[in-house]
């Protein structure tokens, strides 16, 4: 890809290249070639202007509602905040159906974008298609991935749901221990691989503190359907399950509101939600917007590389982990201890869970 971009630059600056070649040939013929042949200066554009059209456009693709206040919105907010600092333009395409992802991503790519960022693995099939299409060779691609496997056509950010959700289970145990309760809940959307890893890891982390604890799991089939999420939350509350993790997208805040309104403690997914008036008592942190912002900084500096995976690790990177909003000193110390063990490699959740 770099060779293709270089060839394109040489073609666009053919007059200068031809001048350098003529100058070098004349010097060689005269026998007085200098060690360095000075060429005319060319004003270079920003390194992030991949297609060379004089402007920098970031395309954002999401399968969900980018105004959901949670995972999907975080991805867009991270891009917009950094783009505003740089004077870049951001184009957002959301509510993309995974079955239509190839067409939707191609439509976005044709809007003169320099960098196309895909917010979730649900759209990865479409990304695989267009990132290898010669039509889009002047675009850099990016995927926020939960179970990343290297692909030479796009860069990725990833994290470990094993690590993050083990700590989420430890956080849930701290809340359960306040009352001596033994049951926590998990509400997910579709029963996908990453969601299964999340609840299995949460359960393992929970039982590492309370061995006879139980995690009640419900998959609604949709990350964004508020009615289904509220129904699941009400069902758990009726079973006296009052500490519930809403691993959801657009349905996260409605579910959290029902849980907190009934006197329970709700955990949010991906973003920090310990703000005044929030329905959440804790946050499970894997914020895609922070991951994307880190990669956009690399883009601005000329350091972004397709084919590489940037991994965020619990106990090493501040972006990932948990936040128990009203943690006591003792509860925070218990969480911090586990985070430190994961960061040091003393505790490897993936090995214990069998991933």
């Amino acid at each position: 890809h770099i060779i293709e971009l270089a060839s394109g630059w040489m073609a666009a600056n053919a007059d200068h290249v031809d001048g350098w070649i003529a100058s070098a040939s004349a010097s060689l013929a005269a026998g007085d070639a200098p060690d360095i042949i000075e060429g005319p200066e060319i004003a270079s554009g920003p390194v992030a202007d991949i297609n060379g059209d004089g402007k920098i456009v970031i395309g954002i693709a999401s399968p969900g509602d980018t105004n959901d206040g949670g995972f999907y919105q975080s991805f867009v907010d991270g891009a917009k905040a950094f783009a505003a600092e740089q004077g870049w333009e951001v184009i957002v395409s959301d509510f993309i159906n995974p079955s239509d992802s190839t067409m939707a991503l191609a439509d976005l790519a044709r809007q003169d974008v320099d960098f196309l960022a895909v917010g979730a693995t649900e759209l990865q099939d479409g990304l695989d298609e267009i990132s290898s299409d010669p039509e889009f060779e002047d675009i850099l691609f990016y995927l926020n991935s939960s179970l990343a496997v290297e692909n030479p056509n796009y860069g990725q950010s990833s994290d470990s749901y094993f690590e993050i959700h083990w700590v989420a289970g430890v956080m849930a145990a701290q809340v359960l221990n306040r009352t001596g309760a033994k049951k926590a809940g998990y509400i997910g959307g579709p029963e996908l691989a990453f969601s299964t890893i999340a609840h299995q890891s949460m359960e393992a982390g929970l039982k590492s503190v309370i061995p006879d604890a139980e995690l009640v799991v419900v998959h609604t089939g949709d990350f964004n359907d508020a009615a289904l999420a509220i129904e699941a939350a009400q069902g758990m509350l009726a079973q006296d399950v009052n500490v519930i993790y809403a691993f959801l997208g657009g349905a996260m805040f409605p579910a959290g509101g029902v849980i907190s309104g009934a006197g329970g403690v709700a955990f949010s997914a991906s973003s920090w939600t310990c703000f005044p008036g929030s329905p959440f008592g804790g946050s499970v942190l894997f914020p895609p917007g922070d991951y994307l912002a880190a990669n956009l900084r690399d883009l601005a500096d000329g350091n972004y590389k397709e084919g590489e995976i940037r991994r965020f690790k619990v106990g090493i990177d501040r972006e990932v982990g948990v936040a128990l909003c009203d943690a006591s000193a003792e509860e925070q110390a218990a969480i911090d201890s586990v985070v430190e063990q994961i960061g040091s490699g003393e505790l490897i959740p993936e090995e214990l869970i069998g991933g």
Side-chain angles (χ1 to χ4, degrees):
H1 189 64
I2 297 298
I3 292 172
E4 291 166 351
L5 291 177
S7 298
W9 182 92
M10 291 181 70
N13 294 277
D15 291 343
H16 293 296
V17 173
D18 289 344
W20 292 339
I21 293 172
S23 176
S25 298
S27 296
L28 289 171
D32 58 356
D35 293 333
I36 299 175
I37 299 173
E38 298 290 345
E41 291 187 4
I42 299 177
S44 62
V47 292
D49 184 11
I50 305 303
N51 59 21
D53 64 356
K55 62 181 189 284
I56 299 170
V57 181
I58 307 299
I60 302 291
S62 173
D65 179 4
T66 53
N67 293 300
D68 67 352
F71 182 87
Y72 298 125
Q73 183 171 339
S74 165
F75 193 63
V76 173
D77 287 350
K80 285 184 174 178
F82 186 82
E85 294 175 7
Q86 303 294 318
W88 300 351
E89 180 184 348
V90 175
I91 300 173
V92 177
S93 176
D94 59 1
F95 292 108
I96 297 174
N97 188 318
S99 64
D100 300 326
S101 61
T102 300
M103 182 180 299
L105 294 180
D107 288 344
L108 179 58
R110 292 187 181 108
Q111 297 182 57
D112 296 326
V113 303
D114 296 282
F115 185 94
L116 197 158
V118 174
T121 51
E122 293 99 302
L123 306 182
Q124 188 168 5
D125 288 347
L127 178 60
D128 287 344
E129 287 285 335
I130 71 159
S131 64
S132 60
D133 188 329
E135 179 185 352
F136 307 116
E137 63 184 7
D138 289 341
I139 298 174
L140 293 178
F141 293 95
Y142 167 85
L143 173 67
N144 181 71
S145 177
S146 53
L147 300 172
V149 176
E150 286 188 4
N151 186 302
N153 296 319
Y154 49 83
Q156 299 176 72
S157 286
S158 189
D159 48 37
S160 171
Y161 272 20
F162 293 100
E163 296 175 355
I164 294 165
H165 289 91
W166 182 288
V167 183
V170 172
M171 178 170 67
Q174 306 312 307
V175 180
L176 291 178
N177 278 338
R178 295 173 182 175
T179 62
K182 301 287 187 179
K183 288 184 179 180
Y186 172 101
I187 302 174
E191 195 169 356
L192 303 172
F194 61 83
S195 183
T196 299
I197 289 171
H199 74 70
Q200 289 177 342
S201 301
M202 183 176 178
E203 182 177 24
L206 174 64
K207 289 185 173 182
S208 73
V209 181
I210 307 173
D212 59 342
E214 178 184 352
L215 184 68
V216 178
V217 177
V218 173
H219 285 97
T220 68
D222 193 314
F223 288 119
N224 303 308
D225 191 314
L228 292 176
I230 289 170
E231 181 182 1
Q234 290 173 332
M236 288 187 180
L237 292 164
Q239 299 176 56
D240 203 29
V241 178
N242 297 304
V243 179
I244 303 172
Y245 175 31
F247 185 73
L248 298 166
M252 185 180 77
F253 268 87
V258 168
I259 295 163
S260 64
V265 177
F267 295 160
S268 64
S270 90
S271 300
W272 186 85
T273 53
C274 294
F275 50 80
S278 170
F280 297 103
S283 305
V284 182
L285 301 172
F286 47 100
D290 289 354
Y291 300 172
L292 176 55
N295 282 274
L296 290 177
R297 282 192 290 273
D298 287 345
L299 175 67
D301 295 337
N303 296 322
Y304 181 78
K305 296 180 181 178
E306 293 180 314
E308 293 190 357
I309 301 173
R310 184 169 185 159
R311 300 187 186 276
F312 292 80
K313 182 173 178 59
V314 169
I316 300 296
D317 298 298
R318 62 173 180 79
E319 290 89 349
V320 290
V322 300
L324 182 56
C325 301
D326 60 347
S328 68
E330 183 179 358
E331 290 167 347
Q332 191 61 54
I335 294 170
D336 289 345
S337 175
V338 175
V339 168
E340 290 170 5
Q341 290 175 50
I342 293 174
S344 69
E346 178 183 350
L347 172 61
I348 305 176
E350 185 170 358
E351 292 183 355
L352 298 176
I353 297 164

